[in-house]
Amino acid sequence: MSGNTFGKLFTVTTFGESHGLALGCIVDGCPPGLSLSEEDLQHDLDRRKPGQSRYTTQRREADQVKILSGVFEGKTTGTPIGLLIENTDQRSKDYSTIKDQYRPAHADYPYMQKYGVRDYRGGGRSSARETAMRVAAGAIAKKYLKETLGIEVKGYLSQLGPIKIETVDWEEIHNNPFFCPDASKVAEMEAYMQALNKEGNSVGAKIAVTATGMPPGLGEPIFDRLDADLAHALMSINAVKGVEIGAGFECVEQKGTEHRDEITPQGFLSNHAGGVLGGISTGQDLIASLALKPTSSLHLPGRSVNVRGEPVEVVTKGRHDPCVGIRATPIAEAMMALVIMDHLLRHRGQNGGLQHDIPVIPAAAPGASTQA
Amino acid sequence: MSGNTFGKLFTVTTFGESHGLALGCIVDGCPPGLSLSEEDLQHDLDRRKPGQSRYTTQRREADQVKILSGVFEGKTTGTPIGLLIENTDQRSKDYSTIKDQYRPAHADYPYMQKYGVRDYRGGGRSSARETAMRVAAGAIAKKYLKETLGIEVKGYLSQLGPIKIETVDWEEIHNNPFFCPDASKVAEMEAYMQALNKEGNSVGAKIAVTATGMPPGLGEPIFDRLDADLAHALMSINAVKGVEIGAGFECVEQKGTEHRDEITPQGFLSNHAGGVLGGISTGQDLIASLALKPTSSLHLPGRSVNVRGEPVEVVTKGRHDPCVGIRATPIAEAMMALVIMDHLLRHRGQNGGLQHDIPVIPAAAPGASTQA
Amino acid sequence: MSGNTFGKLFTVTTFGESHGLALGCIVDGCPPGLSLSEEDLQHDLDRRKPGQSRYTTQRREADQVKILSGVFEGKTTGTPIGLLIENTDQRSKDYSTIKDQYRPAHADYPYMQKYGVRDYRGGGRSSARETAMRVAAGAIAKKYLKETLGIEVKGYLSQLGPIKIETVDWEEIHNNPFFCPDASKVAEMEAYMQALNKEGNSVGAKIAVTATGMPPGLGEPIFDRLDADLAHALMSINAVKGVEIGAGFECVEQKGTEHRDEITPQGFLSNHAGGVLGGISTGQDLIASLALKPTSSLHLPGRSVNVRGEPVEVVTKGRHDPCVGIRATPIAEAMMALVIMDHLLRHRGQNGGLQHDIPVIPAAAPGASTQA
Amino acid sequence: MSGNTFGKLFTVTTFGESHGLALGCIVDGCPPGLSLSEEDLQHDLDRRKPGQSRYTTQRREADQVKILSGVFEGKTTGTPIGLLIENTDQRSKDYSTIKDQYRPAHADYPYMQKYGVRDYRGGGRSSARETAMRVAAGAIAKKYLKETLGIEVKGYLSQLGPIKIETVDWEEIHNNPFFCPDASKVAEMEAYMQALNKEGNSVGAKIAVTATGMPPGLGEPIFDRLDADLAHALMSINAVKGVEIGAGFECVEQKGTEHRDEITPQGFLSNHAGGVLGGISTGQDLIASLALKPTSSLHLPGRSVNVRGEPVEVVTKGRHDPCVGIRATPIAEAMMALVIMDHLLRHRGQNGGLQHDIPVIPAAAPGASTQA
């Protein structure tokens, strides 16, 4: 029940500040017998880490993860997996300006009101650097889901500021620094980001995440619905302000005959539900979307107050992502994987002993769209 | 950790099926000394209950709540509050048709895949009737928050199908059957609903919920952010497909200079954040928005399969809301109140002993908008 | 995580005061497909209920349980099971004496210090009447464990005040009002209780509980050890002051060569461990023992203070058990069953997908004792 | 809810194997503003660590703890505190013998049955080495309780095999390697341990733990009683087989007039309750006792089987404590401190806003015993 723990059976508890000695987490409840090495985690960590392109912060964070426990002779043992990333790029700098100021749209002020104290170095605990541990933990869930059930979780950037993608080519995502699945939009995004950098401003973004190969039956009917837990997971990512499942806000204007996903023996005919009905997976692709606000750290001055309530002008120096959404895809994937993993174990706990002999409806009838 | 429990310190656990003997819930963790009677709960239950207008289902559900424990001589004692609503309108009808069919966009199929069995009478546990208990529990939280801290939680319908409201007049909400705060739209909504009923179709809706009088400092920094818990809470309501905090999906196209809420000694100059930064309340109004899908129970036939995987044509008879969003406002208020209440207790637990002597920033500078 | 909830996957949340309208509980996480009727619960409720003999309180409590949800067509559906017992014997009596007094060894004073208020009628929430719901919930767990895995949970009175049993005859337990497994001690117990009643005093007791047919592998290695959760469960029963697993306090004087349960291919040679090593079941019988203090409600006057801190002489009138231990056996069984059930589901959640191909050691070699 | 987490608001999650790279834990929910340094934790770690005398294992474990997060400029920030102890004495040795054997009275067999795999080096996760992290976490709780409320938690060895202490002199505890509070017994204990070492055998022990300065009102009435949580906490320590609160098993033979702690305006007249009534603290000293079994690692051969079910003779070589109870006192103190701390925060959460104006009964009347 601690606020730094996610999950109920497959749990992830993180610690660490942006400029502290290290980040770490404990993954508890992992099934035994899963092959696991540091390389398995490093892949997604490298996808998230900064400095991969000119469009993200130029901070150097090696983000080398160490597995401290829970793996023996290359396999998980069922005991807690301790993970650690030492902080290597803690530039000693002068924080005297920021120390007393509340940066607009940052967590400085609410932290002070909550705790009466805050670690102001690089945002402390509120830094998105914490998400590195989520990515590492999520990589364990991803591996288990893929190897055991064939479930794959993958995401992409669906909108960068005003630029919306038009097609999804899963192969294209790895070819550009934006996780953009539409090759025709990449040049436009590059130009947009260069102009934005020159302006000293930032912009929002939209990410889509999908799980394919889902079995039906995962989730819970009431509070811990699969979609509610997904909303929790995705909204807990820094800068996220909105979450949609399936058709999302489009359903407001849909009529019932349009929204309902009809079914034939060959499969579902559409997927406006985004793979969840009544809080439980249908076996269709699980589909979520999230909105990330523009980075709050800007070179352009903004009005604020200091800890004494006096007016100040805040200018954030340093190396910041002009669009935090660009690096958010692996984080969103990790959070979705954690939710599915947790619900898989929960489902197995309650229903494990039963053999349901119920015909399965294919995820999509031939020719049907799997998109929301 | 049960899937039918919400909250960590102020917890609500519900039970009951649509056509079972009763619905009930246990509210645990309520502070002692709060004046509480059944009338206090009945007010919101009556706002939610069906049959209040021609635009909602004509089922008669008295929804009379009984307090079975936890209140003594008119005050809460700190022990669990047991609540019960007996089901009085269980029409004995023939369920033989629905029994073997999976209604499109309903939870029938995933329930069968999860449990191998389901109570098919009126949707069983997946019926929105369960939300009556949330409303009752939420009324306790609302009362405590208002009496103790002056926090008020209130919502309205912001969009009905294609019809969007243009102004928010809090007094108007009580004057029409839609919880619509814009008197100029009510006639249009009435006409729309009549046409929809004639067509035998349904439509989606959008709801906004707000808490005023919020203190700064409520929430948690990482997984149990105030906004993440809100997303969990609101997405757990039947038919909800999207949740926004503050600017929500609009932030995708916003630039940093536009989105960041600047601060002056007189208060915040805007509220795109929706009252939360870094997962913790700022003291601004807490603002959330949710999308509800169109009702899935339609008189218009839809394609589906039965439990043996054979094709069937489904027609849902009976009395159903053509727009579930119309009755959702009190439910959304209840869920927001539960989240705030839980975080208030959690905050007090961890930080209760401290006296933070930190100047408070007013929620809104004179002339500033409190809307997202 | 509410204090009135027990368990992590198979959870029981109770409510209700001794003299309120009703007692109730919600059992969440029950596997679907279990045959369940009210009669299945009533059997253990009747074993616990007062007025069964002249040696327990003469209060009449019918303790008729109703299943309000979660069971459909005679089988559990996997959704929460709501249980209710209406209070029928709420004698309207004058509580003005007790209202302002702190009865010695009762919870009156700490309740007031915790909550500032208490329901003083019949002990309110602190009454052992609450355990009726544990017995009802435990009966569900017992039934599942027996039908699914052949696990049986049963207990007996091993000591009544100074009278210790010498043999355990499981058949004898049902033949006397003490749950005493040693027929040769029953007359002595009867005489002792009659003298005690005449004296107006009360006495302590010791209970043993055992689970047979245990599979190896249930439990957790660190905090949620099977034995630690058992200790939690048993110590949470009213009046319990001590819990032992296996050899218990006898192990203090044991040497390692004596205590360690040696193993042969034919099975374990002894069971000092009580069926748990390192927090995980060994497949031997699970054995626990608990001490219950003498009833605090006495006809003999005792010194105390009232709510204003003034000295008073307290005499408890009314109908009370002179030895609460006598009725505690079904409660202890219920709590052990809940713990095993919870760990079964937890184990299945984490390890369900694995097939361990590891030879099983028989619980007891031929001729070996299964007793601690 | 992970099995490696303890507590609900003040939570401790541990990881690490005996011979892995490191042990660690995350302490979440710590109130902000507490002065904290590594020295504060090291004191209790040094009291627990092996090699302090000839009567404990001669393994060298520096047990140097590092604080990785949650403390800034010498004070806790309210964010999770990451703690790490690197393993420095991992002797590379040949584990081929132990690898396939189930050592009697060890967790080897149940681990294999649970997980299908185990880290057999030095007991892996089942090693008592894990308790180092509990001691470190407990030191934080101890410091907060003492500085904020004046609560002190301290323990002692009350029995070593057959040798029982007769007096408690709190100053004496620091003067001998046994945590023995009775100077007159130390020589006898030394002689006993030397004979035991020569014999190659081990023996059990009994520990007492007490909290003084307790406020009334901490705890919960039903499942999460203060004493039930204590039983959970203490039984979760390696080798513990029994837990008593207050009079413990002595209450079985007590009469009600003897057991009940009478009250006068000058205070409680005795403390058989051990400071808890109805699950809630009375303000008297909190008193618990625990039994630890003899070490299972013996030089004397024992019968067992290997992983293939074949008979083997097991001889444990290496450096082991002949009496694990000797080093258990700081661990028991830590667990009690964690329980009190958690309940303090929980109490504050639910009741924080109330000012109870109720006269406090002194913990002990002049001349009354505070012992159970």
Side-chain angles (χ1 to χ4, degrees):
Chain A
M1 100 176 26
S2 101
N4 294 279
T5 296
F6 188 80
K8 294 202 167 174
L9 281 192
F10 187 87
T11 65
V12 179
T13 308
T14 74
F15 70 82
E17 282 84 41
S18 176
H19 286 57
L21 293 174
L23 301 173
C25 81
I26 302 177
V27 177
D28 199 4
C30 186
L34 175 71
S35 296
L36 195 73
S37 70
E38 287 160 359
E39 289 69 43
D40 292 326
L41 313 184
Q42 201 60 50
H43 175 67
D44 273 345
L45 281 169
D46 288 347
R47 290 172 71 215
R48 190 210 76 100
K49 87 175 173 193
Q52 300 292 84
S53 78
R54 54 201 291 197
Y55 308 112
T56 60
T57 171
Q58 294 307 304
R59 286 194 308 274
R60 295 280 149 196
E61 292 158 355
D63 281 359
Q64 287 295 328
V65 70
K66 270 192 237 169
I67 297 177
L68 298 179
S69 67
V71 176
F72 181 59
E73 297 180 341
K75 292 197 183 279
T76 58
T77 60
T79 59
I81 302 169
L83 301 177
L84 198 78
I85 295 176
E86 291 181 50
N87 282 333
T88 53
D89 183 34
Q90 311 158 47
R91 285 203 193 173
S92 60
K93 73 178 234 194
D94 181 7
Y95 287 101
S96 55
T97 319
I98 204 179
K99 180 180 173 178
D100 285 342
Q101 290 185 348
Y102 299 138
R103 294 168 296 162
H106 272 282
D108 303 340
Y109 172 65
Y111 264 65
M112 283 304 283
Q113 286 292 358
K114 181 169 195 67
Y115 299 120
V117 61
R118 72 189 164 98
D119 179 347
Y120 45 75
R121 300 166 305 166
R125 183 69 177 150
S126 74
S127 165
R129 182 143 175 66
E130 180 268 346
T131 58
M133 296 320 306
R134 305 186 187 202
V135 169
I140 300 175
K142 274 180 166 182
K143 190 164 197 284
Y144 185 86
L145 293 173
K146 184 166 181 184
E147 294 186 1
T148 309
L149 293 172
I151 299 171
E152 285 194 75
V153 180
K154 47 195 183 177
Y156 55 84
L157 180 89
S158 59
Q159 187 173 347
L160 175 71
I163 310 167
K164 298 180 192 179
I165 62 157
E166 283 163 25
T167 61
V168 175
D169 172 359
W170 290 105
E171 295 310 312
E172 172 59 23
I173 293 164
H174 317 292
N175 297 338
N176 63 74
F178 303 110
F179 297 91
C180 172
D182 182 349
S184 75
K185 298 288 177 181
V186 172
E188 195 180 344
M189 289 182 180
E190 288 175 339
Y192 185 87
M193 289 305 296
Q194 282 165 20
L196 193 70
N197 277 342
K198 192 169 291 177
E199 183 187 332
N201 218 332
S202 63
V203 80
K206 192 171 171 181
I207 302 287
V209 211
T210 293
T212 58
M214 286 290 292
L218 302 191
E220 288 273 337
I222 304 297
F223 296 115
D224 291 355
R225 288 162 194 258
L226 186 62
D227 38 0
D229 277 0
L230 260 176
H232 180 172
L234 297 174
M235 194 70 90
S236 81
I237 299 171
N238 301 46
V240 173
K241 303 301 286 181
V243 174
E244 296 180 311
I245 305 296
F249 280 89
E250 277 185 26
C251 77
V252 172
E253 303 201 16
Q254 287 176 330
K255 288 204 175 165
T257 42
E258 179 186 2
H259 180 84
R260 64 174 167 182
D261 303 308
E262 289 183 300
I263 310 170
T264 68
Q266 290 72 44
F268 287 91
L269 297 177
S270 54
N271 190 9
H272 296 110
V276 194
L277 289 174
I280 304 174
S281 68
T282 59
Q284 296 181 277
D285 290 355
L286 192 58
I287 300 171
S289 202
L290 46 153
L292 290 107
K293 70 176 185 179
T295 314
S296 307
S297 301
L298 302 181
H299 294 191
L300 301 171
R303 282 169 289 175
S304 190
V305 299
N306 63 19
V307 294
R308 290 172 300 279
E310 302 155 350
V312 293
E313 189 182 78
V314 174
V315 176
T316 309
K317 286 167 189 161
R319 305 155 294 167
H320 296 282
D321 285 293
C323 174
V324 287
I326 290 178
R327 294 201 285 133
T329 293
I331 307 169
E333 290 171 2
M335 294 311 295
M336 182 180 270
L338 291 178
V339 170
I340 299 171
M341 185 73 187
D342 194 35
H343 274 285
L344 173 63
L345 302 196
R346 292 175 72 175
H347 175 72
R348 221 151 69 173
Q350 187 179 11
N351 300 285
L354 267 192
Q355 293 299 330
H356 302 324
D357 189 21
I358 293 166
V360 169
I361 301 171
S369 170
T370 59
Q371 304 290 312
Chain B
M1 98 178 26
S2 102
N4 294 279
T5 297
F6 188 81
K8 295 202 167 174
L9 280 191
F10 188 87
T11 65
V12 179
T13 307
T14 73
F15 70 82
E17 282 84 39
S18 175
H19 286 57
L21 293 175
L23 301 173
C25 81
I26 302 176
V27 177
D28 200 4
C30 185
L34 175 70
S35 296
L36 195 72
S37 69
E38 287 160 0
E39 290 69 44
D40 292 325
L41 313 183
Q42 201 60 49
H43 174 68
D44 273 344
L45 282 169
D46 289 346
R47 290 172 71 215
R48 189 210 76 101
K49 87 174 172 194
Q52 300 293 82
S53 78
R54 55 198 291 196
Y55 308 111
T56 60
T57 170
Q58 295 306 305
R59 285 194 308 276
R60 295 280 150 196
E61 292 159 354
D63 282 359
Q64 287 294 329
V65 70
K66 270 192 239 169
I67 297 178
L68 297 179
S69 68
V71 175
F72 182 59
E73 297 180 340
K75 292 197 183 282
T76 59
T77 60
T79 59
I81 302 170
L83 301 178
L84 197 79
I85 294 176
E86 290 180 50
N87 282 333
T88 54
D89 184 33
Q90 310 159 47
R91 284 202 193 174
S92 59
K93 73 176 233 192
D94 180 7
Y95 287 101
S96 54
T97 317
I98 205 179
K99 181 180 173 178
D100 286 341
Q101 292 185 348
Y102 299 137
R103 293 167 298 162
H106 272 282
D108 303 339
Y109 173 66
Y111 265 64
M112 283 303 284
Q113 286 292 358
K114 183 170 192 67
Y115 299 120
V117 59
R118 73 190 161 100
D119 179 347
Y120 45 75
R121 300 166 305 164
R125 183 70 176 150
S126 73
S127 164
R129 182 141 176 68
E130 180 268 347
T131 58
M133 296 321 306
R134 306 187 185 201
V135 168
I140 301 174
K142 274 180 166 182
K143 190 163 196 282
Y144 185 86
L145 293 172
K146 184 165 182 185
E147 294 186 359
T148 310
L149 294 172
I151 299 171
E152 284 195 74
V153 180
K154 48 195 182 177
Y156 55 83
L157 179 89
S158 60
Q159 187 174 346
L160 174 72
I163 310 165
K164 299 179 189 178
I165 62 158
E166 283 163 25
T167 61
V168 175
D169 172 358
W170 289 104
E171 296 309 311
E172 172 59 23
I173 292 165
H174 317 292
N175 297 337
N176 64 72
F178 304 109
F179 297 92
C180 172
D182 181 349
S184 75
K185 297 290 177 181
V186 173
E188 195 180 344
M189 289 182 180
E190 286 174 340
Y192 185 87
M193 290 304 295
Q194 282 165 20
L196 193 70
N197 276 341
K198 192 169 291 178
E199 183 186 333
N201 218 331
S202 64
V203 80
K206 192 171 172 182
I207 303 287
V209 211
T210 293
T212 58
M214 285 291 292
L218 302 191
E220 288 273 338
I222 304 297
F223 296 115
D224 291 356
R225 288 163 195 257
L226 187 62
D227 38 0
D229 277 0
L230 260 177
H232 180 171
L234 297 174
M235 194 70 92
S236 81
I237 298 172
N238 302 47
V240 173
K241 303 302 287 181
V243 174
E244 297 180 311
I245 306 295
F249 280 88
E250 277 186 27
C251 77
V252 172
E253 303 201 17
Q254 287 176 329
K255 289 203 174 165
T257 42
E258 178 186 3
H259 179 85
R260 65 174 166 183
D261 302 310
E262 289 183 302
I263 310 170
T264 68
Q266 290 73 43
F268 287 91
L269 297 177
S270 54
N271 190 9
H272 296 110
V276 195
L277 289 173
I280 304 174
S281 68
T282 60
Q284 295 180 278
D285 290 354
L286 191 59
I287 300 171
S289 202
L290 46 153
L292 291 108
K293 70 176 186 180
T295 315
S296 306
S297 301
L298 302 182
H299 293 192
L300 301 171
R303 281 170 289 175
S304 190
V305 299
N306 63 19
V307 293
R308 291 173 299 280
E310 301 155 350
V312 292
E313 188 181 78
V314 174
V315 176
T316 308
K317 288 167 189 161
R319 304 154 295 166
H320 296 281
D321 285 293
C323 174
V324 286
I326 291 178
R327 295 201 284 133
T329 294
I331 308 168
E333 290 172 3
M335 294 310 296
M336 181 179 272
L338 291 178
V339 169
I340 298 170
M341 185 74 188
D342 194 37
H343 275 285
L344 172 63
L345 303 196
R346 293 175 72 173
H347 176 71
R348 220 151 70 174
Q350 186 179 13
N351 300 284
L354 268 192
Q355 293 300 327
H356 303 323
D357 190 20
I358 293 166
V360 169
I361 301 172
S369 170
T370 60
Q371 304 290 312
Chain C
M1 58 211 51
S2 100
N4 294 279
T5 297
F6 188 81
K8 295 200 166 173
L9 280 192
F10 187 89
T11 64
V12 179
T13 307
T14 73
F15 70 82
E17 283 85 40
S18 176
H19 287 56
L21 292 175
L23 301 173
C25 81
I26 301 176
V27 178
D28 199 4
C30 185
L34 175 71
S35 297
L36 195 72
S37 69
E38 287 160 0
E39 290 68 45
D40 293 325
L41 313 184
Q42 201 60 49
H43 174 67
D44 273 345
L45 281 169
D46 288 347
R47 290 171 70 214
R48 189 211 75 100
K49 87 175 171 193
Q52 300 293 82
S53 78
R54 53 199 294 195
Y55 308 112
T56 59
T57 171
Q58 294 307 302
R59 284 196 308 275
R60 295 279 149 195
E61 292 159 354
D63 282 1
Q64 288 294 328
V65 70
K66 271 193 238 168
I67 298 177
L68 297 179
S69 67
V71 176
F72 182 60
E73 297 180 341
K75 294 198 182 281
T76 57
T77 60
T79 59
I81 302 170
L83 301 178
L84 197 79
I85 294 177
E86 291 181 49
N87 282 332
T88 53
D89 184 35
Q90 311 158 47
R91 285 200 191 175
S92 60
K93 72 178 235 195
D94 180 7
Y95 287 102
S96 55
T97 318
I98 205 179
K99 180 180 174 178
D100 285 342
Q101 292 185 347
Y102 300 137
R103 293 167 297 163
H106 271 282
D108 303 339
Y109 173 65
Y111 265 65
M112 283 303 284
Q113 287 292 357
K114 183 170 192 68
Y115 299 119
V117 61
R118 74 188 162 98
D119 179 348
Y120 44 74
R121 299 166 306 164
R125 183 70 177 149
S126 74
S127 164
R129 182 143 175 67
E130 180 268 345
T131 59
M133 295 321 306
R134 306 188 186 200
V135 169
I140 301 174
K142 275 180 164 181
K143 190 163 196 283
Y144 185 86
L145 293 172
K146 185 166 181 184
E147 294 186 359
T148 310
L149 293 172
I151 299 171
E152 283 194 75
V153 180
K154 48 194 183 176
Y156 55 83
L157 179 89
S158 59
Q159 188 174 347
L160 175 71
I163 309 167
K164 298 179 190 177
I165 63 158
E166 284 162 24
T167 60
V168 175
D169 173 358
W170 290 104
E171 295 310 311
E172 173 59 22
I173 292 164
H174 317 292
N175 298 336
N176 64 73
F178 304 109
F179 296 91
C180 172
D182 182 347
S184 75
K185 298 289 178 181
V186 172
E188 195 180 343
M189 289 182 180
E190 286 174 339
Y192 186 87
M193 290 305 295
Q194 283 165 20
L196 192 71
N197 276 342
K198 194 169 288 177
E199 184 186 332
N201 217 332
S202 64
V203 79
K206 192 172 171 181
I207 303 286
V209 211
T210 294
T212 58
M214 286 290 293
L218 302 191
E220 287 273 337
I222 304 298
F223 295 116
D224 291 356
R225 288 163 195 258
L226 186 60
D227 39 359
D229 277 0
L230 260 177
H232 181 173
L234 297 174
M235 194 69 93
S236 81
I237 298 172
N238 301 46
V240 173
K241 302 302 287 182
V243 174
E244 297 180 312
I245 305 295
F249 280 88
E250 277 185 27
C251 77
V252 172
E253 302 201 17
Q254 287 177 329
K255 287 202 175 167
T257 43
E258 180 185 2
H259 180 84
R260 64 174 167 183
D261 303 310
E262 288 183 301
I263 309 170
T264 67
Q266 290 72 43
F268 286 92
L269 297 177
S270 54
N271 189 9
H272 296 110
V276 194
L277 289 173
I280 304 174
S281 68
T282 60
Q284 297 180 277
D285 289 355
L286 191 58
I287 299 171
S289 203
L290 45 154
L292 292 107
K293 70 175 185 180
T295 315
S296 306
S297 302
L298 302 181
H299 293 190
L300 301 171
R303 283 170 288 175
S304 190
V305 299
N306 62 19
V307 294
R308 291 172 299 281
E310 302 155 349
V312 292
E313 189 182 78
V314 174
V315 176
T316 310
K317 286 167 189 161
R319 305 155 295 166
H320 295 282
D321 286 292
C323 175
V324 287
I326 290 179
R327 295 201 283 134
T329 294
I331 308 168
E333 291 171 3
M335 294 311 296
M336 181 179 271
L338 291 178
V339 170
I340 299 170
M341 185 75 189
D342 194 37
H343 275 284
L344 172 63
L345 302 196
R346 293 174 72 176
H347 175 72
R348 218 151 71 172
Q350 186 178 13
N351 300 285
L354 266 192
Q355 293 300 328
H356 303 324
D357 190 21
I358 293 166
V360 169
I361 301 171
S369 169
T370 59
Q371 303 292 311
Chain D
M1 61 206 50
S2 101
N4 294 279
T5 296
F6 188 80
K8 295 202 167 175
L9 279 193
F10 187 88
T11 65
V12 179
T13 307
T14 75
F15 70 83
E17 283 85 40
S18 176
H19 286 57
L21 293 175
L23 301 173
C25 80
I26 302 177
V27 178
D28 199 5
C30 186
L34 175 71
S35 296
L36 195 72
S37 69
E38 286 160 0
E39 290 69 44
D40 292 325
L41 312 184
Q42 201 60 48
H43 174 67
D44 273 345
L45 282 168
D46 288 347
R47 290 171 71 215
R48 190 210 75 100
K49 87 175 172 193
Q52 300 292 83
S53 80
R54 55 199 292 197
Y55 308 111
T56 59
T57 170
Q58 294 307 303
R59 284 195 308 275
R60 296 279 149 197
E61 292 159 356
D63 282 359
Q64 287 295 328
V65 69
K66 271 192 238 169
I67 298 177
L68 298 179
S69 67
V71 176
F72 181 60
E73 297 180 341
K75 293 198 183 282
T76 58
T77 59
T79 60
I81 302 170
L83 301 177
L84 198 78
I85 295 176
E86 291 181 49
N87 282 333
T88 53
D89 183 34
Q90 310 158 48
R91 285 202 191 174
S92 60
K93 72 177 235 195
D94 180 6
Y95 287 102
S96 56
T97 318
I98 204 179
K99 180 180 175 179
D100 286 341
Q101 291 184 348
Y102 299 137
R103 294 168 297 161
H106 272 283
D108 302 340
Y109 173 66
Y111 265 65
M112 283 304 284
Q113 286 291 358
K114 183 170 193 67
Y115 300 121
V117 60
R118 73 190 163 98
D119 179 347
Y120 45 75
R121 301 166 303 163
R125 183 68 176 149
S126 74
S127 164
R129 181 143 176 67
E130 180 268 347
T131 58
M133 296 320 305
R134 305 187 187 202
V135 168
I140 300 174
K142 274 180 165 181
K143 189 163 197 284
Y144 185 86
L145 292 173
K146 185 165 183 185
E147 294 187 0
T148 309
L149 292 171
I151 299 171
E152 285 194 73
V153 180
K154 48 194 183 177
Y156 55 83
L157 180 88
S158 59
Q159 188 174 346
L160 175 72
I163 310 166
K164 299 179 191 180
I165 63 158
E166 282 162 25
T167 60
V168 175
D169 173 358
W170 289 105
E171 296 309 310
E172 173 58 23
I173 292 164
H174 317 292
N175 298 336
N176 63 73
F178 304 110
F179 296 92
C180 172
D182 182 349
S184 75
K185 298 288 177 183
V186 173
E188 195 180 342
M189 289 182 179
E190 287 174 340
Y192 185 87
M193 289 305 295
Q194 283 165 20
L196 192 71
N197 277 342
K198 193 168 290 177
E199 184 186 331
N201 217 332
S202 65
V203 80
K206 192 170 171 181
I207 302 286
V209 211
T210 293
T212 59
M214 285 290 292
L218 301 191
E220 287 273 338
I222 304 297
F223 296 116
D224 291 356
R225 288 163 194 259
L226 186 61
D227 37 1
D229 277 0
L230 260 176
H232 181 171
L234 297 173
M235 193 70 90
S236 81
I237 298 171
N238 302 45
V240 172
K241 302 301 287 183
V243 174
E244 296 180 313
I245 305 296
F249 280 88
E250 276 186 27
C251 78
V252 172
E253 303 201 17
Q254 287 176 330
K255 287 202 176 168
T257 43
E258 180 186 2
H259 180 84
R260 65 175 167 182
D261 302 309
E262 289 183 301
I263 310 169
T264 67
Q266 290 71 44
F268 287 90
L269 297 177
S270 55
N271 190 8
H272 296 111
V276 193
L277 289 173
I280 305 174
S281 68
T282 60
Q284 296 180 278
D285 290 354
L286 192 58
I287 299 170
S289 203
L290 46 153
L292 291 107
K293 70 175 186 180
T295 315
S296 307
S297 302
L298 302 181
H299 294 191
L300 300 171
R303 283 170 289 175
S304 190
V305 299
N306 62 18
V307 293
R308 290 172 300 280
E310 301 155 350
V312 293
E313 189 181 76
V314 174
V315 176
T316 310
K317 287 167 188 160
R319 307 154 294 166
H320 296 282
D321 285 293
C323 174
V324 286
I326 291 178
R327 295 201 285 133
T329 294
I331 307 168
E333 290 171 2
M335 293 312 295
M336 182 180 270
L338 292 178
V339 170
I340 299 170
M341 184 75 188
D342 194 36
H343 274 285
L344 173 63
L345 302 196
R346 292 175 72 175
H347 176 72
R348 220 151 69 175
Q350 187 179 13
N351 300 284
L354 268 192
Q355 292 300 328
H356 303 322
D357 189 21
I358 293 166
V360 169
I361 301 172
S369 170
T370 60
Q371 303 290 311

